[in-house]
Amino acid sequence: MEDHLITKREILRQSSKIYDPLGIISPITVRSKMFMQTLWEKKLDWDEPLSSETIMEWKEIQRDTKECIETEILRPYFKERRSTEDISLHIFTDASLKVYGACAYVVCGDQSTLIMSRNRLAPLKNMTIPKLELMAAMIGSRLLKHLKSYISFSQATLWSDSQITLSWLMTKKQVPIFVKNRVAEINQLTHGFSWRYSPTDSNPADLLSRGNDSCEWMMDERPRMDC
């Protein structure tokens, strides 16, 4: 497509074509969402021509996305059929100033497989990292509720690299209404399951909150975590 035809409207049309219901390539597709948000921040009209620098950035995102959507991902989670008693579910949550989200892995022995992820753009209005981390934990809790209906597992653990979020989930003290409402939902959805701390460099959800390029993502067709 000729550069003068690439507008905010055209970018929205192209990015909306991506169909990834399980969020397997979310670290790549979130870059399109973040890019679209920057166009909103610049208050560009729908059909206003974009600068050459902006167009070059979009084309790079397009190339990465195309490489990923042409990747084949194996349907089986494990090489061999496994008993439900051997399978556990691990959900990781993370947030940045731009994106927050969660990803879920099924684990059996020394094998682990990404099965689903969800992420959301942070609001344009400024919000603190602790609050965004709490919203990421809420996404993780809803993801757990969803997966309980479709996957059999013996136990589940939820992970966050935010000490503040983990403290909020356990505190009996009075907290702001924003925090109180979300903590109540999270604790209701995750009742009977445990929350644990994960260092940032060991948290695979970090990719969801900052985006990634196709070269790093495609080093493994189905991303896995270290057990």
Side-chain angles (χ1 to χ4, degrees):
M1 174 175 290
E2 296 181 12
D3 288 354
H4 70 277
L5 297 178
I6 300 179
T7 62
K8 186 169 76 171
R9 186 189 306 276
E10 177 61 22
I11 288 175
L12 177 61
R13 186 186 70 83
Q14 293 178 14
S15 60
S16 298
K17 289 181 178 181
I18 303 170
Y19 182 66
D20 181 27
L22 296 180
I24 299 298
I25 61 172
S26 286
I28 306 300
T29 58
V30 73
R31 294 174 60 199
S32 297
K33 298 177 183 179
M34 290 190 291
F35 182 79
M36 192 67 193
Q37 190 175 63
T38 61
L39 299 184
W40 280 104
E41 290 177 314
K42 293 177 180 179
K43 299 181 179 180
L44 298 173
D45 291 334
W46 282 106
D47 298 309
E48 180 179 345
L50 303 179
S51 67
S52 57
E53 293 80 5
T54 302
I55 292 174
M56 288 179 61
E57 183 180 354
W58 171 245
K59 287 184 175 181
E60 181 181 348
I61 294 173
Q62 273 190 310
R63 285 193 294 269
D64 276 351
T65 303
K66 184 177 180 181
E67 289 182 12
C68 287
I69 62 178
E70 293 177 352
T71 301
E72 295 183 0
I73 298 176
L74 299 177
R75 292 176 64 90
Y77 292 149
F78 305 111
K79 297 178 181 179
E80 301 175 355
R81 186 176 181 85
R82 300 287 183 168
S83 168
T84 301
E85 288 74 19
D86 299 329
I87 296 175
S88 60
L89 181 68
H90 293 259
I91 295 179
F92 294 83
T93 69
D94 190 42
S96 68
L97 287 174
K98 291 185 174 294
V99 185
Y100 61 95
C103 57
Y105 286 77
V106 284
V107 178
C108 183
D110 61 353
Q111 298 183 61
S112 61
T113 304
L114 173 68
I115 57 173
M116 194 173 188
S117 70
R118 286 285 180 268
N119 59 7
R120 300 285 185 274
L121 290 180
L124 286 176
K125 61 179 182 180
N126 292 331
M127 185 173 288
T128 64
I129 285 292
K131 287 185 177 180
L132 290 168
E133 292 279 9
L134 184 63
M135 293 175 70
M138 188 169 65
I139 293 291
S141 302
R142 293 174 178 175
L143 190 56
L144 172 64
K145 177 185 177 182
H146 174 74
L147 293 174
K148 283 168 60 178
S149 304
Y150 297 96
I151 296 177
S152 298
F153 50 86
S154 59
Q155 59 180 341
T157 304
L158 299 100
W159 303 80
S160 172
D161 59 10
S162 171
Q163 298 279 20
I164 296 177
T165 294
L166 295 175
S167 176
W168 277 337
L169 295 178
M170 295 185 294
T171 188
K172 301 297 183 182
K173 298 180 180 179
Q174 189 71 21
V175 292
I177 191 67
F178 178 95
V179 175
K180 180 180 178 180
N181 290 341
R182 284 154 183 80
V183 166
E185 178 180 346
I186 292 169
N187 284 334
Q188 178 186 15
L189 294 176
T190 62
H191 179 71
F193 302 100
S194 60
W195 279 92
R196 298 181 64 181
Y197 174 74
S198 170
T200 300
D201 57 4
S202 300
N203 186 353
D206 179 60
L207 297 177
L208 291 173
S209 65
R210 63 179 174 82
N212 201 1
D213 59 49
S214 60
C215 293
E216 185 177 349
W217 183 88
M218 290 176 67
M219 289 177 65
D220 189 343
E221 291 184 357
R222 184 189 289 277
R224 302 172 187 273
M225 71 176 189
D226 294 330
C227 297

